[in-house]
Amino acid sequence: MNTTKILSIVILVIALALGYYLFSSIKTDIDTTERIAKTEARVINKLKMIREAQVAFQKVNGKYSGNWDELLAFVDTGSFYITNKTEIIIPLDYGADSIYVEIDTIGTVLVKDSIFSPSKFPNFDLATLPLIPGTDGKRFDMWADKIDKAGVMVDVVEVRDIAPVDPARKESNEITNRKPLRFGSRTNITTSGNWE
């Protein structure tokens, strides 16, 4: 064999190895991105469930829950009142109206049956509600309290992912939607999520 054939074979082998390396690294990046997207979708779905539970808890109890045991017990055994509201408008002689509102309680419905119905959340499992998907049993960080806003004490809640699967999601990020996934705020009156 002459040196040209040997060099051609060596260059071909190097080109094939380099091609495989490039393909493998691009495929790994694509697989990682897909895995992060799927896991974050599961985390967002779980945060939506927790938000539904917190909003229901606040409607019934007048405050948000900062305790997982209290929130889980509410979802398991808590109930809403079903009411019927009737407004009667009575016209007055001088052109104004008087409104009489009558509210009747018809019955109750369980929180678990009304909010977490199989049609809305088909994979709802109360036991795993506080657990972050894709982790080894870590729980979402949940905080609830009252804050002063313009001289009025208001209820606020924040639930956040303490173990983000995306390494780019850090608390130090300036952009809110690049911070770890969460809903609510410790300083503002909101229950919106940073993925919205």
Side-chain angles (χ1 to χ4, degrees):
M1 257 205 239
N2 61 21
T3 54
T4 306
K5 285 185 177 181
I6 293 173
L7 278 172
S8 296
I9 292 171
V10 169
I11 289 173
L12 178 66
V13 169
I14 290 172
L16 288 173
L18 186 60
Y20 176 77
Y21 172 75
L22 289 173
F23 172 79
S24 176
S25 65
I26 291 171
K27 175 103 170 82
T28 301
D29 288 346
I30 291 171
D31 290 346
T32 301
T33 302
E34 287 177 359
R35 180 182 56 80
I36 288 172
K38 286 179 181 177
T39 304
E40 284 193 346
R42 290 175 41 218
V43 170
I44 289 169
N45 189 49
K46 188 73 72 95
L47 284 169
K48 287 178 180 177
M49 287 188 236
I50 297 167
R51 179 171 56 187
E52 293 280 340
Q54 282 285 9
V55 169
F57 187 91
Q58 199 271 340
K59 284 181 182 175
V60 171
N61 297 302
K63 64 176 183 132
Y64 293 109
S65 175
N67 179 316
W68 278 113
D69 293 333
E70 180 181 46
L71 186 64
L72 294 175
F74 171 74
V75 171
D76 191 31
T77 60
S79 59
F80 288 116
Y81 288 108
I82 302 171
T83 59
N84 184 23
K85 181 178 175 182
T86 307
E87 291 183 5
I88 301 168
I89 300 173
I90 304 166
L92 301 174
D93 293 335
Y94 49 89
D97 292 333
S98 176
I99 300 175
Y100 173 73
V101 179
E102 188 175 288
I103 300 174
D104 292 328
T105 302
I106 299 171
T108 60
V109 63
L110 290 174
V111 171
K112 195 186 318 185
D113 295 339
S114 63
I115 294 178
F116 299 106
S117 64
S119 61
K120 189 171 183 181
F121 294 109
N123 299 326
F124 177 72
D125 180 13
L126 182 62
T128 62
L129 185 64
L131 304 180
I132 302 170
T135 65
D136 56 350
K138 292 182 181 175
R139 288 181 162 208
F140 287 99
D141 179 47
M142 185 167 64
W143 177 87
D145 204 356
K146 287 185 177 292
I147 62 169
D148 183 9
K149 276 293 190 189
V152 178
M153 296 303 287
V154 293
D155 295 307
V156 291
V157 64
E158 181 185 70
V159 177
R160 68 182 178 92
D161 179 2
I162 60 167
V165 67
D166 185 353
R169 289 195 178 275
K170 299 183 185 315
E171 280 297 329
S172 60
N173 287 341
E174 293 290 324
I175 303 171
T176 304
N177 65 358
R178 293 306 307 152
K179 291 182 182 260
L181 292 169
R182 70 183 70 214
F183 75 84
S185 172
R186 293 179 186 233
T187 58
N188 292 319
I189 308 165
T190 183
T191 56
S192 64
N194 68 341
W195 64 89
E196 298 173 313

mmCIF file of all heavy atoms in Angstrom, residues 36-80:
data_model
loop_
_atom_site.group_PDB
_atom_site.id
_atom_site.type_symbol
_atom_site.label_atom_id
_atom_site.label_comp_id
_atom_site.label_asym_id
_atom_site.label_seq_id
_atom_site.Cartn_x
_atom_site.Cartn_y
_atom_site.Cartn_z
ATOM 1 N N ILE A 36 -36.079 18.006 29.836
ATOM 2 C CA ILE A 36 -36.364 19.181 30.663
ATOM 3 C C ILE A 36 -37.771 19.693 30.383
ATOM 4 O O ILE A 36 -38.534 20.000 31.307
ATOM 5 C CB ILE A 36 -35.302 20.277 30.442
ATOM 6 C CG1 ILE A 36 -33.981 19.870 31.083
ATOM 7 C CG2 ILE A 36 -35.768 21.618 30.996
ATOM 8 C CD1 ILE A 36 -32.807 20.780 30.756
ATOM 9 N N ALA A 37 -38.152 19.775 29.108
ATOM 10 C CA ALA A 37 -39.479 20.272 28.744
ATOM 11 C C ALA A 37 -40.580 19.371 29.297
ATOM 12 O O ALA A 37 -41.595 19.859 29.821
ATOM 13 C CB ALA A 37 -39.602 20.399 27.234
ATOM 14 N N LYS A 38 -40.404 18.057 29.207
ATOM 15 C CA LYS A 38 -41.416 17.120 29.719
ATOM 16 C C LYS A 38 -41.523 17.205 31.241
ATOM 17 O O LYS A 38 -42.620 17.212 31.799
ATOM 18 C CB LYS A 38 -41.084 15.684 29.302
ATOM 19 C CG LYS A 38 -41.352 15.413 27.841
ATOM 20 C CD LYS A 38 -40.985 13.992 27.478
ATOM 21 C CE LYS A 38 -41.223 13.730 26.001
ATOM 22 N NZ LYS A 38 -40.805 12.394 25.589
ATOM 23 N N THR A 39 -40.395 17.271 31.920
ATOM 24 C CA THR A 39 -40.420 17.353 33.380
ATOM 25 C C THR A 39 -41.025 18.671 33.839
ATOM 26 O O THR A 39 -41.830 18.703 34.773
ATOM 27 C CB THR A 39 -39.000 17.180 33.957
ATOM 28 O OG1 THR A 39 -38.464 15.942 33.492
ATOM 29 C CG2 THR A 39 -39.022 17.184 35.472
ATOM 30 N N GLU A 40 -40.673 19.786 33.178
ATOM 31 C CA GLU A 40 -41.240 21.079 33.557
ATOM 32 C C GLU A 40 -42.742 21.129 33.294
ATOM 33 O O GLU A 40 -43.475 21.757 34.047
ATOM 34 C CB GLU A 40 -40.515 22.227 32.853
ATOM 35 C CG GLU A 40 -39.172 22.520 33.478
ATOM 36 C CD GLU A 40 -38.563 23.830 33.026
ATOM 37 O OE1 GLU A 40 -39.035 24.431 32.025
ATOM 38 O OE2 GLU A 40 -37.609 24.272 33.685
ATOM 39 N N ALA A 41 -43.204 20.448 32.258
ATOM 40 C CA ALA A 41 -44.650 20.386 32.005
ATOM 41 C C ALA A 41 -45.363 19.670 33.154
ATOM 42 O O ALA A 41 -46.444 20.091 33.587
ATOM 43 C CB ALA A 41 -44.933 19.683 30.676
ATOM 44 N N ARG A 42 -44.746 18.613 33.682
ATOM 45 C CA ARG A 42 -45.332 17.904 34.834
ATOM 46 C C ARG A 42 -45.302 18.788 36.090
ATOM 47 O O ARG A 42 -46.252 18.790 36.876
ATOM 48 C CB ARG A 42 -44.573 16.602 35.075
ATOM 49 C CG ARG A 42 -44.826 15.588 33.981
ATOM 50 C CD ARG A 42 -43.999 14.310 34.088
ATOM 51 N NE ARG A 42 -43.865 13.795 35.422
ATOM 52 C CZ ARG A 42 -42.753 13.239 35.898
ATOM 53 N NH1 ARG A 42 -41.679 13.138 35.154
ATOM 54 N NH2 ARG A 42 -42.710 12.775 37.134
ATOM 55 N N VAL A 43 -44.216 19.554 36.276
ATOM 56 C CA VAL A 43 -44.113 20.457 37.429
ATOM 57 C C VAL A 43 -45.175 21.548 37.321
ATOM 58 O O VAL A 43 -45.859 21.866 38.314
ATOM 59 C CB VAL A 43 -42.693 21.069 37.532
ATOM 60 C CG1 VAL A 43 -42.654 22.187 38.568
ATOM 61 C CG2 VAL A 43 -41.673 19.995 37.867
ATOM 62 N N ILE A 44 -45.365 22.110 36.138
ATOM 63 C CA ILE A 44 -46.374 23.161 35.939
ATOM 64 C C ILE A 44 -47.775 22.616 36.208
ATOM 65 O O ILE A 44 -48.591 23.272 36.867
ATOM 66 C CB ILE A 44 -46.256 23.746 34.514
ATOM 67 C CG1 ILE A 44 -44.990 24.590 34.407
ATOM 68 C CG2 ILE A 44 -47.500 24.566 34.147
ATOM 69 C CD1 ILE A 44 -44.634 25.005 32.995
ATOM 70 N N ASN A 45 -48.058 21.405 35.745
ATOM 71 C CA ASN A 45 -49.360 20.797 36.005
ATOM 72 C C ASN A 45 -49.591 20.624 37.504
ATOM 73 O O ASN A 45 -50.687 20.898 38.013
ATOM 74 C CB ASN A 45 -49.478 19.456 35.277
ATOM 75 C CG ASN A 45 -50.876 18.907 35.333
ATOM 76 O OD1 ASN A 45 -51.847 19.603 35.051
ATOM 77 N ND2 ASN A 45 -50.987 17.642 35.706
ATOM 78 N N LYS A 46 -48.553 20.206 38.214
ATOM 79 C CA LYS A 46 -48.667 20.033 39.671
ATOM 80 C C LYS A 46 -48.875 21.378 40.352
ATOM 81 O O LYS A 46 -49.688 21.507 41.268
ATOM 82 C CB LYS A 46 -47.406 19.340 40.191
ATOM 83 C CG LYS A 46 -47.452 18.910 41.642
ATOM 84 C CD LYS A 46 -48.338 17.721 41.900
ATOM 85 C CE LYS A 46 -47.793 16.448 41.407
ATOM 86 N NZ LYS A 46 -47.055 15.628 42.311
ATOM 87 N N LEU A 47 -48.157 22.421 39.902
ATOM 88 C CA LEU A 47 -48.339 23.761 40.468
ATOM 89 C C LEU A 47 -49.758 24.276 40.217
ATOM 90 O O LEU A 47 -50.335 24.946 41.079
ATOM 91 C CB LEU A 47 -47.303 24.731 39.903
ATOM 92 C CG LEU A 47 -45.890 24.590 40.464
ATOM 93 C CD1 LEU A 47 -44.899 25.401 39.640
ATOM 94 C CD2 LEU A 47 -45.831 24.994 41.924
ATOM 95 N N LYS A 48 -50.332 23.964 39.064
ATOM 96 C CA LYS A 48 -51.716 24.366 38.790
ATOM 97 C C LYS A 48 -52.680 23.689 39.763
ATOM 98 O O LYS A 48 -53.629 24.306 40.232
ATOM 99 C CB LYS A 48 -52.093 24.022 37.344
ATOM 100 C CG LYS A 48 -51.444 24.923 36.317
ATOM 101 C CD LYS A 48 -51.827 24.505 34.903
ATOM 102 C CE LYS A 48 -51.187 25.387 33.860
ATOM 103 N NZ LYS A 48 -51.498 24.946 32.488
ATOM 104 N N MET A 49 -52.434 22.407 40.071
ATOM 105 C CA MET A 49 -53.280 21.701 41.040
ATOM 106 C C MET A 49 -53.170 22.337 42.424
ATOM 107 O O MET A 49 -54.181 22.542 43.098
ATOM 108 C CB MET A 49 -52.875 20.223 41.119
ATOM 109 C CG MET A 49 -53.272 19.395 39.947
ATOM 110 S SD MET A 49 -52.929 17.654 40.295
ATOM 111 C CE MET A 49 -51.886 17.246 38.934
ATOM 112 N N ILE A 50 -51.939 22.642 42.828
ATOM 113 C CA ILE A 50 -51.734 23.255 44.149
ATOM 114 C C ILE A 50 -52.393 24.629 44.193
ATOM 115 O O ILE A 50 -53.010 24.999 45.195
ATOM 116 C CB ILE A 50 -50.228 23.336 44.482
ATOM 117 C CG1 ILE A 50 -49.629 21.930 44.572
ATOM 118 C CG2 ILE A 50 -49.993 24.100 45.776
ATOM 119 C CD1 ILE A 50 -48.114 21.893 44.593
ATOM 120 N N ARG A 51 -52.299 25.379 43.109
ATOM 121 C CA ARG A 51 -52.941 26.705 43.052
ATOM 122 C C ARG A 51 -54.456 26.575 43.194
ATOM 123 O O ARG A 51 -55.077 27.338 43.932
ATOM 124 C CB ARG A 51 -52.575 27.409 41.744
ATOM 125 C CG ARG A 51 -53.228 28.773 41.612
ATOM 126 C CD ARG A 51 -52.716 29.564 40.450
ATOM 127 N NE ARG A 51 -52.841 28.865 39.188
ATOM 128 C CZ ARG A 51 -52.332 29.310 38.061
ATOM 129 N NH1 ARG A 51 -51.651 30.439 38.018
ATOM 130 N NH2 ARG A 51 -52.489 28.637 36.943
ATOM 131 N N GLU A 52 -55.046 25.595 42.513
ATOM 132 C CA GLU A 52 -56.500 25.363 42.647
ATOM 133 C C GLU A 52 -56.859 25.069 44.104
ATOM 134 O O GLU A 52 -57.850 25.582 44.628
ATOM 135 C CB GLU A 52 -56.938 24.202 41.752
ATOM 136 C CG GLU A 52 -56.844 24.464 40.285
ATOM 137 C CD GLU A 52 -58.009 25.273 39.747
ATOM 138 O OE1 GLU A 52 -59.060 25.321 40.395
ATOM 139 O OE2 GLU A 52 -57.845 25.870 38.678
ATOM 140 N N ALA A 53 -56.046 24.241 44.758
ATOM 141 C CA ALA A 53 -56.296 23.907 46.160
ATOM 142 C C ALA A 53 -56.153 25.133 47.053
ATOM 143 O O ALA A 53 -56.970 25.360 47.946
ATOM 144 C CB ALA A 53 -55.346 22.801 46.621
ATOM 145 N N GLN A 54 -55.138 25.955 46.814
ATOM 146 C CA GLN A 54 -54.922 27.157 47.632
ATOM 147 C C GLN A 54 -56.050 28.168 47.450
ATOM 148 O O GLN A 54 -56.521 28.761 48.423
ATOM 149 C CB GLN A 54 -53.582 27.808 47.282
ATOM 150 C CG GLN A 54 -52.387 27.125 47.881
ATOM 151 C CD GLN A 54 -52.230 27.391 49.367
ATOM 152 O OE1 GLN A 54 -53.081 27.953 50.045
ATOM 153 N NE2 GLN A 54 -51.101 26.965 49.906
ATOM 154 N N VAL A 55 -56.489 28.380 46.212
ATOM 155 C CA VAL A 55 -57.582 29.327 45.962
ATOM 156 C C VAL A 55 -58.860 28.844 46.642
ATOM 157 O O VAL A 55 -59.585 29.633 47.258
ATOM 158 C CB VAL A 55 -57.781 29.537 44.445
ATOM 159 C CG1 VAL A 55 -59.069 30.286 44.150
ATOM 160 C CG2 VAL A 55 -56.582 30.286 43.853
ATOM 161 N N ALA A 56 -59.145 27.546 46.563
ATOM 162 C CA ALA A 56 -60.328 26.995 47.230
ATOM 163 C C ALA A 56 -60.207 27.141 48.746
ATOM 164 O O ALA A 56 -61.175 27.511 49.423
ATOM 165 C CB ALA A 56 -60.499 25.525 46.852
ATOM 166 N N PHE A 57 -59.019 26.858 49.281
ATOM 167 C CA PHE A 57 -58.794 26.989 50.720
ATOM 168 C C PHE A 57 -59.029 28.432 51.162
ATOM 169 O O PHE A 57 -59.669 28.681 52.184
ATOM 170 C CB PHE A 57 -57.361 26.556 51.067
ATOM 171 C CG PHE A 57 -57.086 26.487 52.532
ATOM 172 C CD1 PHE A 57 -57.287 25.321 53.238
ATOM 173 C CD2 PHE A 57 -56.620 27.612 53.224
ATOM 174 C CE1 PHE A 57 -57.034 25.261 54.606
ATOM 175 C CE2 PHE A 57 -56.358 27.561 54.582
ATOM 176 C CZ PHE A 57 -56.571 26.381 55.271
ATOM 177 N N GLN A 58 -58.541 29.379 50.373
ATOM 178 C CA GLN A 58 -58.695 30.797 50.717
ATOM 179 C C GLN A 58 -60.154 31.223 50.665
ATOM 180 O O GLN A 58 -60.610 31.998 51.502
ATOM 181 C CB GLN A 58 -57.841 31.645 49.766
ATOM 182 C CG GLN A 58 -57.543 33.034 50.259
ATOM 183 C CD GLN A 58 -58.598 34.056 49.867
ATOM 184 O OE1 GLN A 58 -59.368 33.855 48.942
ATOM 185 N NE2 GLN A 58 -58.629 35.146 50.605
ATOM 186 N N LYS A 59 -60.914 30.709 49.705
ATOM 187 C CA LYS A 59 -62.338 31.061 49.607
ATOM 188 C C LYS A 59 -63.124 30.556 50.808
ATOM 189 O O LYS A 59 -64.018 31.228 51.294
ATOM 190 C CB LYS A 59 -62.942 30.500 48.320
ATOM 191 C CG LYS A 59 -62.549 31.277 47.091
ATOM 192 C CD LYS A 59 -63.185 30.691 45.847
ATOM 193 C CE LYS A 59 -62.744 31.456 44.614
ATOM 194 N NZ LYS A 59 -63.247 30.856 43.378
ATOM 195 N N VAL A 60 -62.781 29.365 51.271
ATOM 196 C CA VAL A 60 -63.521 28.767 52.392
ATOM 197 C C VAL A 60 -63.035 29.301 53.737
ATOM 198 O O VAL A 60 -63.842 29.585 54.626
ATOM 199 C CB VAL A 60 -63.413 27.226 52.343
ATOM 200 C CG1 VAL A 60 -63.985 26.594 53.595
ATOM 201 C CG2 VAL A 60 -64.113 26.687 51.098
ATOM 202 N N ASN A 61 -61.721 29.471 53.900
ATOM 203 C CA ASN A 61 -61.154 29.813 55.209
ATOM 204 C C ASN A 61 -60.720 31.266 55.362
ATOM 205 O O ASN A 61 -60.308 31.670 56.442
ATOM 206 C CB ASN A 61 -59.955 28.901 55.501
ATOM 207 C CG ASN A 61 -60.367 27.459 55.592
ATOM 208 O OD1 ASN A 61 -61.200 27.099 56.402
ATOM 209 N ND2 ASN A 61 -59.818 26.620 54.734
ATOM 210 N N GLY A 62 -60.743 32.036 54.288
ATOM 211 C CA GLY A 62 -60.378 33.444 54.383
ATOM 212 C C GLY A 62 -58.886 33.710 54.431
ATOM 213 O O GLY A 62 -58.463 34.836 54.680
ATOM 214 N N LYS A 63 -58.070 32.697 54.194
ATOM 215 C CA LYS A 63 -56.611 32.846 54.172
ATOM 216 C C LYS A 63 -56.033 31.692 53.378
ATOM 217 O O LYS A 63 -56.710 30.695 53.127
ATOM 218 C CB LYS A 63 -56.037 32.839 55.584
ATOM 219 C CG LYS A 63 -56.240 31.518 56.301
ATOM 220 C CD LYS A 63 -55.589 31.491 57.664
ATOM 221 C CE LYS A 63 -55.778 30.106 58.268
ATOM 222 N NZ LYS A 63 -54.587 29.547 58.804
ATOM 223 N N TYR A 64 -54.783 31.841 52.962
ATOM 224 C CA TYR A 64 -54.085 30.741 52.287
ATOM 225 C C TYR A 64 -53.431 29.852 53.330
ATOM 226 O O TYR A 64 -53.167 30.273 54.447
ATOM 227 C CB TYR A 64 -53.020 31.275 51.328
ATOM 228 C CG TYR A 64 -53.581 32.023 50.148
ATOM 229 C CD1 TYR A 64 -53.429 33.403 50.047
ATOM 230 C CD2 TYR A 64 -54.247 31.360 49.135
ATOM 231 C CE1 TYR A 64 -53.934 34.095 48.953
ATOM 232 C CE2 TYR A 64 -54.756 32.047 48.045
ATOM 233 C CZ TYR A 64 -54.600 33.412 47.966
ATOM 234 O OH TYR A 64 -55.094 34.097 46.887
ATOM 235 N N SER A 65 -53.136 28.619 52.945
ATOM 236 C CA SER A 65 -52.486 27.689 53.861
ATOM 237 C C SER A 65 -50.985 27.689 53.627
ATOM 238 O O SER A 65 -50.525 27.621 52.494
ATOM 239 C CB SER A 65 -53.032 26.274 53.655
ATOM 240 O OG SER A 65 -52.314 25.367 54.456
ATOM 241 N N GLY A 66 -50.216 27.739 54.704
ATOM 242 C CA GLY A 66 -48.770 27.633 54.633
ATOM 243 C C GLY A 66 -48.288 26.285 55.120
ATOM 244 O O GLY A 66 -47.099 26.069 55.303
ATOM 245 N N ASN A 67 -49.227 25.347 55.315
ATOM 246 C CA ASN A 67 -48.926 24.055 55.908
ATOM 247 C C ASN A 67 -49.457 22.954 54.994
ATOM 248 O O ASN A 67 -50.650 22.931 54.683
ATOM 249 C CB ASN A 67 -49.596 24.010 57.292
ATOM 250 C CG ASN A 67 -49.383 22.725 58.011
ATOM 251 O OD1 ASN A 67 -49.484 21.642 57.448
ATOM 252 N ND2 ASN A 67 -49.103 22.835 59.299
ATOM 253 N N TRP A 68 -48.591 22.024 54.592
ATOM 254 C CA TRP A 68 -49.021 20.955 53.694
ATOM 255 C C TRP A 68 -50.079 20.061 54.321
ATOM 256 O O TRP A 68 -51.032 19.665 53.648
ATOM 257 C CB TRP A 68 -47.825 20.117 53.243
ATOM 258 C CG TRP A 68 -47.073 20.729 52.120
ATOM 259 C CD1 TRP A 68 -45.793 21.218 52.152
ATOM 260 C CD2 TRP A 68 -47.542 20.956 50.795
ATOM 261 N NE1 TRP A 68 -45.457 21.737 50.923
ATOM 262 C CE2 TRP A 68 -46.517 21.582 50.068
ATOM 263 C CE3 TRP A 68 -48.748 20.702 50.143
ATOM 264 C CZ2 TRP A 68 -46.637 21.935 48.731
ATOM 265 C CZ3 TRP A 68 -48.876 21.070 48.807
ATOM 266 C CH2 TRP A 68 -47.837 21.670 48.124
ATOM 267 N N ASP A 69 -49.924 19.706 55.593
ATOM 268 C CA ASP A 69 -50.906 18.822 56.235
ATOM 269 C C ASP A 69 -52.293 19.454 56.245
ATOM 270 O O ASP A 69 -53.297 18.789 55.987
ATOM 271 C CB ASP A 69 -50.470 18.486 57.671
ATOM 272 C CG ASP A 69 -49.202 17.640 57.693
ATOM 273 O OD1 ASP A 69 -48.954 16.901 56.709
ATOM 274 O OD2 ASP A 69 -48.450 17.719 58.688
ATOM 275 N N GLU A 70 -52.352 20.750 56.548
ATOM 276 C CA GLU A 70 -53.621 21.466 56.578
ATOM 277 C C GLU A 70 -54.257 21.516 55.176
ATOM 278 O O GLU A 70 -55.457 21.273 55.016
ATOM 279 C CB GLU A 70 -53.376 22.885 57.096
ATOM 280 C CG GLU A 70 -54.593 23.758 57.196
ATOM 281 C CD GLU A 70 -54.246 25.153 57.689
ATOM 282 O OE1 GLU A 70 -53.263 25.761 57.184
ATOM 283 O OE2 GLU A 70 -54.972 25.635 58.577
ATOM 284 N N LEU A 71 -53.456 21.803 54.154
ATOM 285 C CA LEU A 71 -53.978 21.891 52.793
ATOM 286 C C LEU A 71 -54.442 20.529 52.288
ATOM 287 O O LEU A 71 -55.518 20.414 51.687
ATOM 288 C CB LEU A 71 -52.919 22.471 51.852
ATOM 289 C CG LEU A 71 -53.380 22.739 50.423
ATOM 290 C CD1 LEU A 71 -54.463 23.822 50.395
ATOM 291 C CD2 LEU A 71 -52.209 23.161 49.550
ATOM 292 N N LEU A 72 -53.670 19.480 52.544
ATOM 293 C CA LEU A 72 -54.047 18.142 52.100
ATOM 294 C C LEU A 72 -55.313 17.657 52.804
ATOM 295 O O LEU A 72 -56.176 17.029 52.176
ATOM 296 C CB LEU A 72 -52.898 17.157 52.322
ATOM 297 C CG LEU A 72 -51.635 17.399 51.486
ATOM 298 C CD1 LEU A 72 -50.536 16.430 51.878
ATOM 299 C CD2 LEU A 72 -51.933 17.308 50.000
ATOM 300 N N ALA A 73 -55.445 17.957 54.087
ATOM 301 C CA ALA A 73 -56.669 17.580 54.815
ATOM 302 C C ALA A 73 -57.880 18.318 54.242
ATOM 303 O O ALA A 73 -58.966 17.741 54.116
ATOM 304 C CB ALA A 73 -56.514 17.882 56.304
ATOM 305 N N PHE A 74 -57.695 19.585 53.876
ATOM 306 C CA PHE A 74 -58.788 20.352 53.283
ATOM 307 C C PHE A 74 -59.215 19.744 51.947
ATOM 308 O O PHE A 74 -60.404 19.579 51.685
ATOM 309 C CB PHE A 74 -58.371 21.813 53.086
ATOM 310 C CG PHE A 74 -59.345 22.614 52.287
ATOM 311 C CD1 PHE A 74 -60.549 23.018 52.847
ATOM 312 C CD2 PHE A 74 -59.078 22.953 50.977
ATOM 313 C CE1 PHE A 74 -61.461 23.751 52.111
ATOM 314 C CE2 PHE A 74 -59.975 23.689 50.228
ATOM 315 C CZ PHE A 74 -61.175 24.089 50.793
ATOM 316 N N VAL A 75 -58.249 19.398 51.101
ATOM 317 C CA VAL A 75 -58.587 18.812 49.800
ATOM 318 C C VAL A 75 -59.264 17.460 49.989
ATOM 319 O O VAL A 75 -60.207 17.124 49.274
ATOM 320 C CB VAL A 75 -57.320 18.669 48.917
ATOM 321 C CG1 VAL A 75 -57.615 17.866 47.663
ATOM 322 C CG2 VAL A 75 -56.776 20.037 48.553
ATOM 323 N N ASP A 76 -58.828 16.695 50.976
ATOM 324 C CA ASP A 76 -59.373 15.354 51.196
ATOM 325 C C ASP A 76 -60.787 15.383 51.766
ATOM 326 O O ASP A 76 -61.660 14.650 51.304
ATOM 327 C CB ASP A 76 -58.444 14.575 52.126
ATOM 328 C CG ASP A 76 -58.790 13.107 52.184
ATOM 329 O OD1 ASP A 76 -59.282 12.562 51.173
ATOM 330 O OD2 ASP A 76 -58.563 12.487 53.240
ATOM 331 N N THR A 77 -61.027 16.247 52.754
ATOM 332 C CA THR A 77 -62.329 16.200 53.438
ATOM 333 C C THR A 77 -63.106 17.509 53.396
ATOM 334 O O THR A 77 -64.251 17.551 53.835
ATOM 335 C CB THR A 77 -62.135 15.819 54.924
ATOM 336 O OG1 THR A 77 -61.308 16.810 55.554
ATOM 337 C CG2 THR A 77 -61.508 14.445 55.055
ATOM 338 N N GLY A 78 -62.513 18.589 52.887
ATOM 339 C CA GLY A 78 -63.178 19.886 52.863
ATOM 340 C C GLY A 78 -64.325 19.932 51.868
ATOM 341 O O GLY A 78 -64.429 19.116 50.960
ATOM 342 N N SER A 79 -65.205 20.921 52.053
ATOM 343 C CA SER A 79 -66.347 21.049 51.149
ATOM 344 C C SER A 79 -66.692 22.514 50.922
ATOM 345 O O SER A 79 -66.330 23.388 51.701
ATOM 346 C CB SER A 79 -67.559 20.308 51.713
ATOM 347 O OG SER A 79 -67.913 20.828 52.973
ATOM 348 N N PHE A 80 -67.383 22.751 49.801
ATOM 349 C CA PHE A 80 -67.900 24.069 49.432
ATOM 350 C C PHE A 80 -69.396 24.080 49.672
ATOM 351 O O PHE A 80 -70.067 23.064 49.538
ATOM 352 C CB PHE A 80 -67.716 24.339 47.928
ATOM 353 C CG PHE A 80 -66.332 24.595 47.497
ATOM 354 C CD1 PHE A 80 -65.692 23.730 46.623
ATOM 355 C CD2 PHE A 80 -65.663 25.716 47.919
ATOM 356 C CE1 PHE A 80 -64.417 23.978 46.189
ATOM 357 C CE2 PHE A 80 -64.379 25.984 47.489
ATOM 358 C CZ PHE A 80 -63.767 25.109 46.624
#
